[in-house]
Amino acid sequence: MRIKYIALLIIFNFATCAFAQKQGYVWYFARQLGLDFNTTPPNVLLDGQIDHTVDPNGHTEGTASIASANGELLFYANGYSIWNRKHEIMKNGSGLVGHPSSTNGAVIIPMPGQNAKYYVFTTHAWQLDLPYGLHYSIVDMCDDNGYGEVMASFKNIQVLEGAGERLAVTRHANGVDYWLVAHKHFSSAFHAYLITESGISAEVVSDIGTFHGRDGYMDAIGQMKISPDGTRLALVMANRSPDVVDLFDFDPASGKLTGYLDLSTGAITGGLYGVTFSPDGSKLYVNGNHGLYQYSLDADTGTQEEIVQSRFKIPTNVTVATGLQLGPDEKIYVVRVYDAGIIQNPNLAGAACEFEDGAIFFKDRAVTYAFPTFIDNFEYPDKGSVLAVNVEDEIIFCPGASTTIDATSSGENLRYLWQDGSTNPIYEVSAAGTYSVRISDKFCTVEKTIVATESAIGTKIDLAKDTVLCFGSSLRIDLDPNLNYYWSDGSTDNFKIVNDPVVLWVNALTGNCQSSDSIKVDFVNCELRLPNFFSPDGNEYNPSFIPSEMSGVTSAQLSVYNRWGKEIYHTDDFSILNGWDGTQHNEPVSSGTYFWHVEYIDIDKNARTLKGILTLRR
């Protein structure tokens, strides 16, 4: 009875405490995919950036993701980079010395005693002979306006040289600190690191179990997990035949591994990749090229032979060596390349576990390895909601008016403090200058400086005066490219080309300021026409030699010549005279044929020349 009571107590604590927080509710992994457990069933996310540019020879294997206690994404990582919740590379977040093709390329652990700092541990890949081993970097989520930054002085710090690809994390027995367990390659040594408020302790070494590296570096692959109650550790090896399934007792108080059980039978060949425990720790699941298997760890007395004999092959449509991950909903998720399978009831033995193939479709994106790595019991500290400060660095206000700075940010119980002591999130500005605000929640304080300038938009917009142009020509209007525009025809360019008669108006915008102007553009036939005869004797029929059409002409010069080419009349301002009256030196000229020559300028400032023959009749 006592044994059953303890088991029930463990299950109760796991269900009510471990799954009460939502730090494991947002998963981002290979091929820009993700799962959001804030909905039931989890929603497929397509906005991730891991494998945005995919290596044609493969893609990311081991990833990590972390959310706030409210299920809001904080950041995610692979062995090379860290992305913030805007899906941008975090400040100083590139150049990690892990590797995307590592079983646990990245693992995230909250820093005990620190409200907004996280360790990101990385491991390297067997293909490159594990040159860098195990390293860590520290993310401070208070930096970069609450979007996080990798601290320059705590980046790529080596922890264990020659470490394999496997990492597992669980809570210390005190419920505050963490154990990170790695494995030294070319050895049978586990290295457990206690992570406390004081930092990372010296390793606790347990030399036990299968030798890693029997055939070189290849068996460095394969998952390693710790049971949700923190008392057992299991690992499998890919690229190893016969297969390896190792089970150990783990002491969450000391970090020591004991009680090694070899659960492999030699009957399965070709390597295993995935391993995980059921929520109550009573079942162990492994996955490889030859199937998905369940072991009952509570079979009768739980001896090695009885556990091996309890092995149950779960019927599946796909057999592929991929990862397993216990979800925050107490179901186990299985990578099936283009979709995810789900073990619906992983605490139940045999077929009662209800494996569902193809439960979540990945939109034709292939995930060939694993889901993100989490602390194996999802026990995370309450680091609250996400503080996100999105205050503009500069604002422009209209001449003679005022504007406001809106510092409203996302988060709980937020506090605001402006340079003059005011505490409202919205601050009124009526003068140019520099303003500052401190935005705080219970974990972070972010200070923003805002520069306010008065707009000069009123002097920048000018469409010029109304104008008349010649048909066939055009008018180009160019405006300040630094402003935003909305024209009466719906266009938004900072220039306009006018080819036809029109009345145009435009609104110019910058910030909350606007100005407007309009222009009328007309077009005329820019030509000068003269008659071919005239009668200057007052008979009212062409009494003078004057243009019949002068539209679009700004100035003109007229010369008249007799048949011998002698100039008998000239004017330099033909446009304002009444024309030629048929005289020379105030004496009438005789009837006959005359020649004329005109040079004129049109409203487009084009110079033109006309010539013609004139008949004078008296």
Side-chain angles (χ1 to χ4, degrees), residues 100-360:
S101 184
S102 173
T103 305
N104 295 117
V107 173
I108 299 169
I109 303 178
M111 184 180 291
Q114 295 290 331
N115 289 329
K117 292 181 180 177
Y118 296 81
Y119 289 99
V120 178
F121 289 90
T122 59
T123 57
H124 216 258
W126 73 269
Q127 298 97 316
L128 301 177
D129 299 343
L130 307 170
Y132 299 119
L134 174 64
H135 288 73
Y136 75 86
S137 301
I138 296 178
V139 169
D140 189 340
M141 286 304 299
C142 289
D143 289 345
D144 194 22
N145 299 324
Y147 288 99
E149 176 179 357
V150 176
M151 301 174 68
S153 56
F154 293 97
K155 184 176 181 179
N156 293 329
I157 309 299
Q158 190 175 68
V159 178
L160 177 62
E161 183 180 5
E165 295 187 13
R166 301 175 182 86
L167 295 176
V169 186
T170 191
R171 278 281 198 177
H172 186 275
N174 62 21
V176 175
D177 303 321
Y178 295 96
W179 287 106
L180 172 72
V181 181
H183 199 283
K184 180 84 169 179
H185 205 60
F186 295 113
S187 79
S188 54
F190 292 87
H191 290 241
Y193 298 88
L194 181 61
I195 300 173
T196 70
E197 186 175 357
S198 301
I200 302 175
S201 72
E203 67 266 31
V204 175
V205 179
S206 301
D207 198 340
I208 187 173
T210 301
F211 182 88
H212 294 210
R214 184 196 68 181
D215 300 320
Y217 290 96
M218 295 180 65
D219 62 9
I221 309 173
Q223 291 183 325
M224 179 170 69
K225 299 287 178 63
I226 298 176
S227 61
D229 65 1
T231 63
R232 277 177 159 169
L233 181 147
L235 66 84
V236 295
M237 289 185 180
N239 299 330
R240 184 79 170 252
S241 183
D243 295 333
V244 173
V245 182
D246 284 355
L247 179 66
F248 307 87
D249 292 327
F250 181 77
D251 184 354
S254 68
K256 293 290 291 183
L257 279 83
T258 57
Y260 166 54
L261 297 179
D262 179 1
L263 303 186
S264 58
T265 65
I268 309 171
T269 60
L272 298 170
Y273 185 91
V275 65
T276 196
F277 290 89
S278 63
D280 66 358
S282 67
K283 306 295 183 294
L284 180 69
Y285 292 86
V286 299
N287 187 49
N289 286 325
H290 293 273
L292 173 63
Y293 291 85
Q294 179 200 76
Y295 291 87
S296 291
L297 304 183
D298 57 355
D300 295 328
T301 60
T303 65
Q304 175 176 320
E305 181 181 358
E306 289 167 336
I307 293 173
V308 171
Q309 289 178 351
S310 75
R311 189 185 68 196
F312 171 77
K313 186 173 184 179
I314 299 172
T316 65
N317 296 325
V318 179
T319 55
V320 59
T322 54
L324 305 177
Q325 180 57 51
L326 178 64
D329 55 2
E330 301 190 50
K331 299 178 181 181
I332 292 175
Y333 290 78
V334 186
V335 174
R336 314 302 280 170
V337 186
Y338 289 101
D339 54 60
I342 300 177
I343 302 175
Q344 299 285 358
N345 301 297
N347 292 331
L348 301 183
C353 72
E354 293 187 44
F355 176 69
E356 180 183 359
D357 246 327
I360 300 176

Side-chain angles (χ1 to χ4, degrees), residues 10 13-14 38 48 50 65 79 131 179 351 361 368 395 571 584:
I10 291 172
N13 285 338
F14 180 65
N38 287 291
I50 298 176
S65 186
W179 287 106
F361 181 54
T368 57
I395 62 169
T571 179
Q584 182 181 17

Side-chain angles (χ1 to χ4, degrees), residues 363-380:
K363 316 292 185 183
D364 293 322
R365 298 183 185 181
V367 181
T368 57
Y369 293 107
F371 294 119
T373 301
F374 292 95
I375 296 171
D376 284 322
N377 51 15
F378 285 97
E379 288 190 4
Y380 291 86

Side-chain angles (χ1 to χ4, degrees), residues 478-518:
D478 287 294
L479 300 175
D480 186 346
N482 297 313
L483 304 180
N484 299 313
Y485 298 96
Y486 183 82
W487 294 84
S488 51
D489 62 2
S491 61
T492 58
D493 299 320
N494 67 303
F495 68 93
K496 180 65 63 179
I497 298 176
V498 180
N499 298 302
D500 298 299
V502 71
V503 176
L504 277 174
W505 58 260
V506 63
N507 279 340
L509 308 171
T510 178
N512 294 323
C513 305
Q514 68 175 359
S515 181
S516 62
D517 196 12
S518 64

